[in-house]
Amino acid sequence: MPSGVVLLTDRRVARRPLVEVVARAVGGGVRWVVLREKDLPRAERAALAAELRAVLAEVGGALLVAGPDPLGGDAVHLPAAGPYPPPQHALVGRSCHDAAELDRLTTEDYVTLSPVFPTRTKPGYGPPLQPDGLRRLVAASPVPALALGGIETPAQVAACIGAGAVGVAVLGAVMRAPDPTEAATTLRDAFETALPGRPQPPTASRSKD
């Protein structure tokens, strides 16, 4: 089941070739990747999926494919719009944005809830749930939920995990990063620190200077 830091791909904003960015993010602790790139012809997208699966296999990770076609795999992430009922695969996720969409779930294994924060990838998309809205939807969800949308900082990761999400799905924070490994490591460390039961670091007092 996806958890921790889940990476969504976008070759248009990636600073390096997509497979390289994903490989570097995997080096920073990412173990779940969602392949988007829906505009590519199926053959190209399937070849890309095979490359990414090979990268993830080295660390026991897994690739989810956005859309109903798993491109030779067995895990998909579906949009809120459909299809319903979901196809039968080993792992099926769905994007949700409100309680009405959560009510339509049937056999899905997990959901993403978005947008939690304003996002550069989809400006104007929203309104943002913010942590309080995320908490309400997590409580209403019948399956584990990942937080998605505008998550770029350790504080945002901590807020999402505090609201009950089992992980955070990120795109720009890693795709746009000068160092994807460092970016992924920072977010992964924030996730692990924020897990329930983990001791929290002391809060630094604000300087009045």
Side-chain angles (χ1 to χ4, degrees):
M1 190 68 60
S3 63
V5 178
V6 178
L7 177 61
L8 280 65
T9 72
D10 189 334
R11 70 188 189 284
R12 289 191 174 91
V13 303
R15 292 197 176 198
R16 296 180 175 86
L18 187 59
V19 175
E20 179 184 345
V21 173
V22 171
R24 290 183 178 224
V26 166
V30 167
R31 296 295 180 265
W32 295 90
V33 175
V34 178
L35 173 62
R36 296 168 75 244
E37 320 308 324
K38 293 182 182 180
D39 59 308
L40 288 176
R42 187 184 186 282
E44 288 184 36
R45 199 164 175 244
L48 182 55
E51 285 189 82
L52 296 180
R53 285 193 184 102
V55 170
L56 286 157
E58 294 181 4
V59 295
L63 182 74
L64 299 121
V65 177
D69 181 354
L71 300 175
D74 58 3
V76 295
H77 185 86
L78 304 173
Y84 291 95
Q88 297 297 309
H89 296 299
L91 185 62
V92 177
R94 189 179 296 278
S95 298
C96 291
H97 312 88
D98 55 38
E101 291 175 353
L102 289 173
D103 286 343
R104 297 183 67 184
L105 297 175
T106 55
T107 59
E108 291 87 342
D109 299 293
Y110 76 93
V111 294
T112 57
L113 298 174
S114 65
V116 180
F117 302 104
T119 169
R120 284 189 284 169
T121 302
K122 293 184 177 181
Y125 186 57
L129 296 168
Q130 301 294 343
D132 285 346
L134 174 64
R135 182 178 292 104
R136 288 191 290 272
L137 290 184
V138 167
S141 177
V143 292
L146 300 168
L148 168 65
I151 301 167
E152 299 186 352
T153 68
Q156 289 174 320
V157 172
C160 292
I161 303 309
V166 298
V168 294
V170 301
L171 192 155
V174 173
M175 288 285 132
R176 295 187 182 97
D179 185 341
T181 302
E182 180 182 10
T185 300
T186 298
L187 297 175
R188 181 205 62 195
D189 289 350
F191 165 75
E192 293 180 350
T193 300
L195 288 174
R198 286 290 184 96
Q200 300 298 306
T203 302
S205 61
R206 290 186 177 180
S207 170
K208 295 182 179 180
D209 296 340

